[in-house]
Amino acid sequence: MTETTKARYDGSILSFQQKRGQESSAFFLPFLKPDMRLLDIGCGPGNITATLAVHVGAAVGIDIQPRSIAAANELVERTRIGNLSFREADMTALPFDDEAFDAVFFHAVLYHQDHPTLAGTLAEAKRVLRPGGLIATRDADVGGNILHPDLPGLRIALDLWQRWYEHGEPDALHFGRRQGAILRAHGFVPVWTGASFVNHSADAETREETVRDAFRSLSSLGPKLIERGLATQVELDAALLSWEAWGRELNAVYLRCRCECVARKPAP
């Protein structure tokens, strides 16, 4: 997470991150070994890092957001996971020696970045990764989301999030499917690609939680978007009404696409 993203950071994001762990890292677990040292870049509150720590020798999480690192350190105190640690750091200037890690992990971090930040981040990841080490990325692809009923206001709600991050290029919305090509362009060799969905509609309780999360995030971000001229009150009201209608639908579906890629740093 860069300083630019840090300025846009919101408490609703942290709340959502704290709910995800196992499902966010499942694709990478078969590649991990007990003697590995792993770095989770943009770790948020550390739930995913903690899941990864069980499968490696040591797991370190970094994030530029102090609030996230505070939550992550509370997680360490609560769980007493001995091989897990966190520190505040900028992903474009990692405070680690060259070739210090066997694996680097990114979850929902890279697609927010502009080209210079993305290039700097991947260069740093490559620097701290040993030759032959693994890099894993899991990120959004807006075109892959599945909604039913596909109400116009729901699409507005998803679009409001994209406006918040101010993606300047249309390709950013399809970042997930391009991860392999992006990693290859920055000197890595992809060895596996795939995709999975975050299921926001598994049962009645999950659907209710999804609607609560949507209302909480839109209520928090909405006024900021309006203030910056990125949304109107009409759009915000339409988004909220559609989430309310979606929540009343017994057969409602919301599957959020996450594309996944594992690549290697070439050995000499």
Side-chain angles (χ1 to χ4, degrees), residues 7 10 160 163-164 166 218-236:
D10 186 85
L160 291 177
R163 297 181 201 179
W164 177 248
E166 295 182 334
L218 288 171
S219 296
S220 175
L221 292 179
K224 301 172 187 176
L225 287 165
I226 292 171
E227 181 181 354
R228 292 166 56 181
L230 298 174
T232 66
Q233 188 63 52
V234 171
E235 289 178 312
L236 185 61

Side-chain angles (χ1 to χ4, degrees), residues 157 160-161 213-223 236 239-240 243:
L160 291 177
W161 275 101
D213 279 345
F215 268 72
R216 185 163 46 246
S217 63
L218 288 171
S219 296
S220 175
L221 292 179
L236 185 61
L240 292 169
W243 275 118

Side-chain angles (χ1 to χ4, degrees), residues 23-195:
E23 68 183 33
S24 301
S25 58
F27 77 100
F28 196 31
L29 301 186
F31 294 88
L32 301 179
K33 297 179 180 179
D35 61 346
M36 283 183 166
R37 189 162 187 253
L38 179 144
L39 177 63
D40 182 8
I41 299 179
C43 64
N47 298 64
I48 297 174
T49 326
T51 300
L52 293 166
V54 177
H55 300 271
V56 297
V60 180
I62 69 104
D63 202 291
I64 201 171
Q65 172 56 244
R67 186 175 181 180
S68 290
I69 295 301
N73 285 328
E74 289 175 4
L75 176 66
V76 174
E77 293 179 8
R78 187 169 66 253
T79 61
R80 302 295 181 184
I81 300 175
N83 67 336
L84 178 65
S85 63
F86 298 95
R87 64 190 294 181
E88 187 178 336
D90 186 333
M91 63 186 180
T92 63
L94 296 173
F96 304 108
D97 293 336
D98 294 356
E99 303 180 9
F101 294 93
D102 302 289
V104 172
F105 186 78
F106 290 94
H107 184 271
V109 172
L110 296 178
Y111 96 115
H112 298 319
Q113 314 307 327
D114 58 26
H115 284 303
T117 303
L118 177 63
T121 297
L122 290 177
E124 276 293 271
K126 190 175 182 181
R127 178 184 66 79
V128 303
L129 195 60
R130 69 166 178 79
L134 295 170
I135 180 172
T137 61
R138 185 174 191 256
D139 231 316
D141 196 293
V142 173
N145 294 332
I146 297 174
L147 285 164
H148 173 76
D150 196 345
L151 305 172
L154 296 186
R155 294 293 174 180
I156 291 174
L158 299 180
D159 185 54
L160 291 177
W161 275 101
Q162 305 311 317
R163 297 181 201 179
W164 177 248
Y165 285 107
E166 295 182 334
H167 294 307
E169 301 178 17
D171 282 348
L173 302 181
H174 298 143
F175 184 91
R177 68 189 68 180
R178 297 166 48 238
Q179 287 176 112
I182 290 169
L183 290 176
R184 192 182 300 278
H186 287 85
F188 298 97
V189 180
V191 296
W192 183 90
T193 57

Side-chain angles (χ1 to χ4, degrees), residues 198-210:
V198 181
N199 189 349
H200 295 280
S201 53
D203 49 36
E205 182 180 354
T206 303
R207 290 193 294 273
E208 290 172 5
E209 182 182 21
T210 296

